[in-house]
């Protein structure tokens, strides 16, 4: 019985003839990334540069995770202070790029793209000269290639450095070792610094997705790389085969020419014969009086096989097949919504559990600290932020808006939640509404969009009718 119990277990964990070629590893995540990370990163970048499916998959992920931007709102509890902070943020966000190319939302989109394509990205806090009402802070993005991964050493006190990241005795990050210039750049060797410099961890935001207890990220397309490569090779081979078949039109038997080849004889500069195929070729042979035309063979199932492989690639990148390929022939309205709902859950998880805490919140802390040190904000103020990711486009706007309205009227959600769900600031929307209502009342205008005066069905609200009956008549007939 004891021997029988030892034999029981998971079939996938058994060592049988079926699983003989299955090799696994019990190495840590950081050990595996250290060994395979650079190769995965190089191959991922090559695929994104040269493969249309990989480029589109990365773009779809960036579009949905970032979109027009993930926007913060100050939430200190002090309305006047919140307005002041939000105004400072708008000025900072518009010019926070160290290189001056884009704004905060452009930096965020680039950071997420690097996280998807290369595995991780580094953002540095750069303090600038203060003065005036400008927050003295810039954000510099550095590709992960700047990290000195060869630096591995022990530090006095129990700390250590692994893959260019310095840790204390408890395993918490204390610093990053980076090269000032990109190691793969074209900067002249005489000007390039090959020695890495230590940058305190409080000045660095490291964005990557954690799938294990790890310190580095891997490209998101790693599970799909082999499938993408094989699909590209198969398409190239199929294209070459079709081109070759199209070159040979027919063979003439019985011609008196002295050709010993089935192709026209071409000679190079040294008189050597060069065999070649070219479109519209007619080949000649001896010993007959006939001509036979070439009939290229048809290939069945190309579309089906291609589609299956693209489904595998889409699954590896974690994007819907229809969004990656643009092929909607296999979708109907219901299946599209179900597929998008699951994709949106994944995007929301990434936004709230990866992008916001690992990139957006560190930048917000740097911004508040820089503004306080510059005297633009009170030093003792605690100013957290509420983040508003971009809203998802509605598949059926009428039904979706009606569902939101029913939820709000039933008390399941507040109007502020529904406004924030669409990526807007509830306080700003309410203020705009108040200003709009005041302006329309002053001019005596009534719109169907004003729920104070017009009901959902387009009729005058009862309160307005009662108010009109109590007003003194002026001899004019009221408008229906």
């Amino acid at each position: 019985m004891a021997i029988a119990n030892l034999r029981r277990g998971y079939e996938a964990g058994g060592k049988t003839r079926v699983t003989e070629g299955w090799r696994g590893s019990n190495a840590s995540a950081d050990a595996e990334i250290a060994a395979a990370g650079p190769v995965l990163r190089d191959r991922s970048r090559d695929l994104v540069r040269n493969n249309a499916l990989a480029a589109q998959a990365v773009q779809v992920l960036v579009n949905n995770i970032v979109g027009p931007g993930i926007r913060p709102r100050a939430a200190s509890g002090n309305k006047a202070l919140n307005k002041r902070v939000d105004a400072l943020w708008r000025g900072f966000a518009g010019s926070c790029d160290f290189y001056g190319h884009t704004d905060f939302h452009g930096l965020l989109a680039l950071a997420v793209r690097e996280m998807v394509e290369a595995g991780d990205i580094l953002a540095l806090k750069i303090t600038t000269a203060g003065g005036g009402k400008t927050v003295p802070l810039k954000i510099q993005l550095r590709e992960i290639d700047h990290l000195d991964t060869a630096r591995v050493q022990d530090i006095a006190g129990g700390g250590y450095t692994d893959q260019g990241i310095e840790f204390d005795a408890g395993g918490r990050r204390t610093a990053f070792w980076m090269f000032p210039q990109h190691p793969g750049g074209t900067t002249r060797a005489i000007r390039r610094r090959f020695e890495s410099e230590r940058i305190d961890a409080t000045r660095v935001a490291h964005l990557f997705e954690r799938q294990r207890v790890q310190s580095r990220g891997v490209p998101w397309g790693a599970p799909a790389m082999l499938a993408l490569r094989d699909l590209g090779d198969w398409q190239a081979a199929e294209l070459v085969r079709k081109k070759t078949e199209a070159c040979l039109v027919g063979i003439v038997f019985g011609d008196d020419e002295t050709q010993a080849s089935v192709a026209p004889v071409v000679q190079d500069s040294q008189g050597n014969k060069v065999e070649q195929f070219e479109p519209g070729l007619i080949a000649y042979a001896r010993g007959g009086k006939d001509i036979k035309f070439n009939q290229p063979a048809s290939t069945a199932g190309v579309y089906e096989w291609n589609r299956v492989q693209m489904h595998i690639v889409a699954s590896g990148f974690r994007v819907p097949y229809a969004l990656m390929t643009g092929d909607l022939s296999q979708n109907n309205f219901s299946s599209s919504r179900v597929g998008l709902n699951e994709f949106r859950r994944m995007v929301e998880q990434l936004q709230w559990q990866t992008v916001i805490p690992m990139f957006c919140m560190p930048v917000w802390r740097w911004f508040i600290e820089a503004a306080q040190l510059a005297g633009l904000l009170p030093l003792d103020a605690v100013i957290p932020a509420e983040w508003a990711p971009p809203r998802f486009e509605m598949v059926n706007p009428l039904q979706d808006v009606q569902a939101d309205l029913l939820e709000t009227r039933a008390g399941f959600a507040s109007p502020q939640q529904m406004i924030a769900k669409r990526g807007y600031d509830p306080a700003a929307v309410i203020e705009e509404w108040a200003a709009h209502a005041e302006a329309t009342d002053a001019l005596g205008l009534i719109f169907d969009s004003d729920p104070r005066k017009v009901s959902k069905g387009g009729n005058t609200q009862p309160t307005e009718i009662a108010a009109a009956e109590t007003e003194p008549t002026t001899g004019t007939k009221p408008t229906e």
Side-chain angles (χ1 to χ4, degrees):
M1 185 178 294
I3 295 175
N5 288 335
L6 291 176
R7 292 174 179 173
R8 295 170 184 166
Y10 294 99
E11 293 183 0
K15 296 183 179 180
T16 62
R17 180 177 58 84
V18 179
T19 60
E20 183 179 359
W22 194 339
R23 298 290 183 268
S25 171
N26 63 349
S28 67
D30 287 332
E32 293 180 348
I33 294 172
V39 178
L40 289 175
R41 184 167 62 247
D42 296 342
R43 291 177 178 176
S44 176
R45 288 170 172 168
D46 179 74
L47 287 172
V48 173
R49 284 193 299 264
N50 300 297
N51 189 286
L53 293 178
Q56 178 64 8
V58 172
Q59 188 63 51
V60 167
L61 288 168
V62 175
N63 290 345
N64 284 271
I65 296 174
V66 180
I70 301 178
R71 303 177 184 276
R73 297 188 299 271
S76 65
N78 186 324
K79 187 176 181 180
L81 180 60
N82 290 345
K83 283 188 175 182
R84 185 177 174 185
V85 173
D86 291 340
L88 286 174
W89 171 264
R90 286 191 293 270
F92 161 75
S95 59
C96 66
D97 184 6
F98 178 79
Y99 298 107
H101 296 307
T102 183
D103 59 1
F104 171 76
H105 308 295
L107 288 178
L108 180 58
L110 180 58
V112 171
R113 175 179 290 275
E114 281 292 322
M115 177 185 67
V116 174
E117 180 178 337
D120 37 12
I121 182 70
L122 301 169
L124 270 65
K125 170 188 175 183
I126 306 296
T127 303
T128 59
K133 298 181 179 181
T134 303
V135 178
L137 175 66
K138 298 292 182 182
I139 306 300
Q140 182 187 44
L141 292 185
R142 288 187 179 181
E143 291 185 339
I144 199 61
D145 307 77
H146 283 264
L147 197 63
D148 185 3
T149 56
R151 183 177 287 272
V152 179
Q153 62 184 12
D154 292 330
I155 303 175
Y160 61 95
T161 302
D162 185 21
Q163 296 190 68
I165 304 176
E166 185 178 307
F167 302 88
D168 62 12
R172 293 179 294 269
R173 301 182 180 200
T174 57
F176 290 78
W177 290 87
M178 301 185 202
F179 296 108
Q181 288 88 25
H182 195 293
T186 57
T187 308
R188 293 173 54 187
I190 193 174
R191 296 171 50 194
R192 190 183 306 173
R193 292 176 57 188
F194 292 96
E195 183 179 356
S196 58
E197 59 183 7
R198 185 181 185 275
I199 300 177
D200 195 89
T202 57
R203 293 183 52 212
V204 180
H206 186 193
L207 178 60
F208 66 98
E209 184 190 20
R210 299 183 70 195
Q211 296 181 339
R212 293 177 61 184
V213 181
Q214 62 197 70
S215 303
R216 294 283 310 279
V218 295
W220 287 22
M225 285 185 183
L226 288 180
L228 268 174
R229 182 72 173 180
D230 293 342
L231 178 60
D233 291 344
W234 179 85
Q235 290 174 341
E238 184 68 18
L239 184 60
V240 170
R241 185 177 71 86
K242 288 294 184 182
K243 287 183 176 181
T244 304
E245 289 180 345
C247 284
L248 189 60
V249 175
I251 300 177
V252 177
F253 294 89
D255 189 81
D256 293 334
E257 297 291 336
T258 59
Q259 300 186 61
S261 170
V262 297
V265 178
V266 179
Q267 295 183 347
D268 58 16
S269 58
Q270 299 178 355
N272 300 320
K273 294 182 179 181
V274 179
E275 305 293 345
Q276 68 177 20
F277 282 93
E278 60 185 23
L281 170 66
I282 298 292
Y284 293 85
R286 298 182 186 179
K289 297 292 183 180
D290 192 9
I291 180 172
K292 294 183 178 180
F293 290 94
N294 182 41
Q295 297 180 355
S298 61
T299 305
V302 173
Y303 175 72
E304 289 76 10
W305 189 89
N306 224 5
R307 190 172 62 207
V308 169
Q309 296 302 309
M310 289 191 292
H311 272 289
I312 296 174
V313 173
S315 299
F317 272 101
R318 291 176 280 174
V319 299
Y321 166 82
L323 296 183
M324 186 187 72
T325 63
D327 180 13
L328 301 175
S329 60
Q330 306 299 315
N331 291 15
N332 55 38
F333 182 75
S334 299
S335 63
S336 296
R337 297 199 68 170
V338 171
L340 288 177
N341 286 339
E342 182 60 30
F343 177 64
R344 289 173 176 178
R345 289 190 188 98
M346 183 201 73
V347 169
E348 288 179 342
Q349 176 191 2
L350 289 167
Q351 290 171 338
W352 289 105
Q353 299 180 10
T354 301
V355 178
I356 291 177
M358 298 182 73
F359 186 90
C360 298
M361 292 178 64
V363 173
W364 178 266
R365 288 195 297 268
W366 297 341
F367 160 73
I368 295 297
E369 292 172 359
Q372 290 175 334
L373 292 176
L376 301 176
L377 292 175
L379 289 175
D380 58 346
V382 178
I383 309 173
E386 293 180 351
W387 295 92
R391 68 183 180 93
F392 292 108
E393 297 296 331
M394 300 177 182
V395 179
N396 190 328
L398 179 59
Q399 292 183 359
D400 292 344
V401 170
Q402 288 175 343
D404 291 346
L405 181 60
L406 289 175
E407 285 189 19
T408 306
R409 294 181 67 86
F412 298 151
S414 67
Q416 287 82 356
Q417 288 176 326
M418 291 302 173
I419 294 173
K421 174 183 175 181
R422 287 160 172 77
Y424 300 109
D425 184 358
V429 173
I430 293 174
E431 291 179 359
E432 290 178 6
W433 251 111
H436 171 73
E438 183 180 355
T440 54
D441 290 345
L443 297 175
L445 301 175
I446 299 177
F447 297 98
D448 286 349
S449 60
D450 191 346
R452 303 173 304 154
K453 301 181 179 181
V454 182
S455 67
K456 180 181 177 182
N459 300 319
T460 304
Q461 291 283 21
T463 55
E464 294 298 320
I465 296 176
E469 290 177 350
T470 58
E471 292 179 357
T473 59
T474 59
T476 58
K477 184 179 180 180
T479 303
E480 292 292 338

